[in-house]
Amino acid sequence: MGLVSGTCFAQMGNTVTCVDIDAAKIAKLEQGIIPIYEPGLEEMVLQNHKKGTLRFTTDIAQAIAQSKIAFIAVGTPMGEDGSADLQYVLAVAKSIGQHMQEYLVVVDKSTVPVGTADKVKAAIQAELDQRGVTIAFDVVSNPEFLKEGAAIKDFMFPDRVVVGAENEKAMGVMHDLYAPFMKNHDRFIGMDVKSAEMTKYAANAMLATKISFMNEMANICERVGADVNKVRNGIGSDSRIGYSFIYPGCGYGGSCFPKDVQALAKTAKDYGYTPRILDAVEAVNYDQKRVISDKVITRFGENLDGKTFAVWGLAFKPETDDMREASAITIINELTSRGAQVIAYDPKARHEAESYYLKGNESVTYVDSKYDALKGADALILVTEWQEFRSPDFDEMKKLLNEAVFFDGRNQFDKGRMAELGFEYFQIGV
């Protein structure tokens, strides 16, 4: 999020300095090596770095001295109790207070709980007091609404820009900054700081709720003999509901929905309110990640020794290499814990799986093409709906698989058509 934001601001003519304490990451960026996969990002980074409008450094003092606005865009990982861990946000705030020399607008871009701006303000002020200096500053909330895999487009052509500020001066600075992104229509939404902080969590919680609701409908459909794909078409045609985020599947993952739903629930409980819907959304999603592995176990038995399964897709969604909270992790670990071997293919997330998320799982083999994954496998499991999986060669698939057994965790194909093609085909909610 930080790299995308900085790069897009530079694209609009601003001079941007990206700061990180990881010297190796900064060195790679200076060499044009991008640490994440995001469509369109690499070209934009290289272009603006070459022009000198996008810089990279570990020297926060120098970066602050050259800036009028400082964005805090560090991670807020989930703590053991479900709360957002603010240690990195507050560490940056402390550094800002140690080095700022003149009026500065400090922007919380990270997804943070309601009340974080107050903590950031206090952390900065404590450092200024310790230095014995009086410097005016404002803390602003500007939550991001970027979809991984479409982050550049989302930033350059935003649906809305939400900004929470305490005064007109800070609000004006932010409006001027975002004005070039809203030439056709002013999508700038100004509000108080706490409402802006809440807006991000409310948005993600609503989207996660739609996903879990549809997955619950899928589970009911499967039991009563209905087809959730037809039900989805029936309800999606209602303009009050729409088709977005009502596709049944094997659960949501990523850096936002799981963390933000739990963090919002924790905040509610801290204030004495039991968030029953949020708790249910999380519970449904936890179970949904196990639906596909349960289907495999029902088909092949509890003991999977001697069985090999091909897995198409490791990332939590297409067009990203992000595997945080990915359903593939749960599915693969469940199958291999029962003795199975897994042959996995993903166009972008292989390195993430090998080096971190499935590191140490010696029952997983990685290959470089979707068809290589099928060789000698007893069944195929589709987990991530990458475009290259939408029109495969079904005849080739049947030749390579030991059995024409296909578990589709994203309901990509028609069950009747798959039966005609000779597949034993398992979907969710059908």
Side-chain angles (χ1 to χ4, degrees), residues 35-55:
I36 59 171
Y37 173 72
E38 183 65 42
L41 179 61
E42 182 175 359
E43 297 86 347
M44 197 176 284
V45 169
L46 295 177
Q47 177 188 13
N48 285 282
H49 184 53
K50 185 177 180 180
K51 289 192 298 185
T53 54
L54 184 62
R55 307 164 182 168

Side-chain angles (χ1 to χ4, degrees), residues 121-248:
K121 186 175 182 179
I124 294 173
Q125 189 61 54
E127 294 302 319
L128 294 176
D129 292 344
Q130 189 168 343
R131 290 167 57 191
V133 297
T134 300
I135 304 174
F137 68 95
D138 284 303
V139 177
V140 167
S141 175
N142 174 215
E144 57 86 15
F145 299 97
L146 308 179
K147 300 185 293 292
E148 291 192 51
I152 295 292
K153 180 181 177 182
D154 287 348
F155 201 102
M156 297 299 288
F157 306 97
D159 292 327
R160 77 283 207 197
V161 174
V162 173
V163 173
E166 294 180 333
N167 56 63
E168 292 183 5
K169 181 179 180 180
M171 191 70 79
V173 169
M174 296 301 291
H175 192 278
D176 290 346
L177 177 65
Y178 278 105
F181 298 92
M182 296 178 287
K183 288 297 184 183
N184 295 328
H185 179 64
D186 190 351
R187 298 176 177 86
F188 190 93
I189 304 174
M191 59 184 71
D192 63 276
V193 173
K194 289 186 177 180
S195 294
E197 291 173 331
M198 185 67 181
T199 297
K200 170 65 174 180
Y201 279 106
N204 280 350
M206 173 59 79
L207 297 176
T209 298
K210 291 184 73 174
I211 294 171
S212 280
F213 174 84
M214 205 62 209
N215 282 333
E216 186 143 283
M217 292 303 101
N219 295 332
I220 296 172
C221 283
E222 196 166 314
R223 286 159 176 78
V224 302
D227 185 334
V228 73
N229 300 309
K230 296 174 181 177
V231 172
R232 178 182 62 80
N233 285 329
I235 67 173
S237 59
D238 186 330
S239 60
R240 296 170 300 174
I241 298 172
Y243 291 101
S244 298
F245 288 86
I246 61 167
Y247 288 84

Side-chain angles (χ1 to χ4, degrees), residues 264-416:
L264 183 55
K266 177 63 167 57
T267 296
K269 292 170 185 175
D270 288 345
Y271 281 82
Y273 180 77
T274 301
R276 289 168 291 180
I277 291 177
L278 295 179
D279 287 344
V281 167
E282 179 61 25
V284 169
N285 193 59
Y286 178 88
D287 291 340
Q288 199 67 21
K289 290 184 177 182
R290 289 152 180 81
V291 167
I292 286 294
S293 54
D294 286 347
K295 289 179 181 292
V296 173
I297 292 164
T298 299
R299 170 62 174 77
F300 287 97
E302 297 279 347
N303 187 342
L304 298 176
D305 280 338
K307 298 297 181 182
T308 299
F309 299 100
V311 171
W312 281 2
L314 298 168
F316 87 93
K317 62 180 284 188
E319 300 302 325
T320 181
D321 59 354
D322 194 345
M323 283 188 63
R324 283 174 287 186
E325 302 288 336
S327 299
I329 300 171
T330 301
I331 294 168
I332 289 172
N333 284 336
E334 177 64 27
L335 299 182
T336 56
S337 72
R338 295 173 177 273
Q341 297 292 312
V342 167
I343 307 172
Y345 168 71
D346 187 285
K348 297 295 179 182
R350 173 176 176 170
H351 175 73
E352 294 293 308
E354 285 183 303
S355 62
Y356 187 74
Y357 293 99
L358 293 171
K359 183 179 180 180
N361 191 333
E362 298 180 355
S363 298
V364 183
T365 302
Y366 302 92
V367 294
D368 295 324
S369 81
K370 60 180 180 286
Y371 295 118
D372 285 345
L374 303 179
K375 295 176 181 177
D378 295 294
L380 166 63
I381 303 170
L382 190 154
V383 182
T384 313
E385 62 275 34
W386 286 92
Q387 286 188 1
E388 69 173 273
F389 301 152
R390 292 183 181 178
S391 298
D393 185 332
F394 293 110
D395 289 334
E396 183 69 12
M397 290 168 63
K398 287 194 292 183
K399 289 178 184 177
L400 295 171
L401 288 165
N402 290 341
E403 298 181 71
V405 182
F406 187 174
F407 297 89
D408 186 351
R410 298 298 175 185
N411 288 13
Q412 292 290 285
F413 306 103
D414 179 75
K415 189 170 186 177

Side-chain angles (χ1 to χ4, degrees), residues 49-83:
H49 184 53
K50 185 177 180 180
K51 289 192 298 185
T53 54
L54 184 62
R55 307 164 182 168
F56 305 102
T57 185
T58 58
D59 188 346
I60 190 170
Q62 181 186 38
I64 292 295
Q66 297 172 343
S67 302
K68 296 179 180 179
I69 307 171
F71 283 84
I72 300 177
V74 295
T76 53
M78 185 168 57
E80 291 184 4
D81 61 354
S83 63

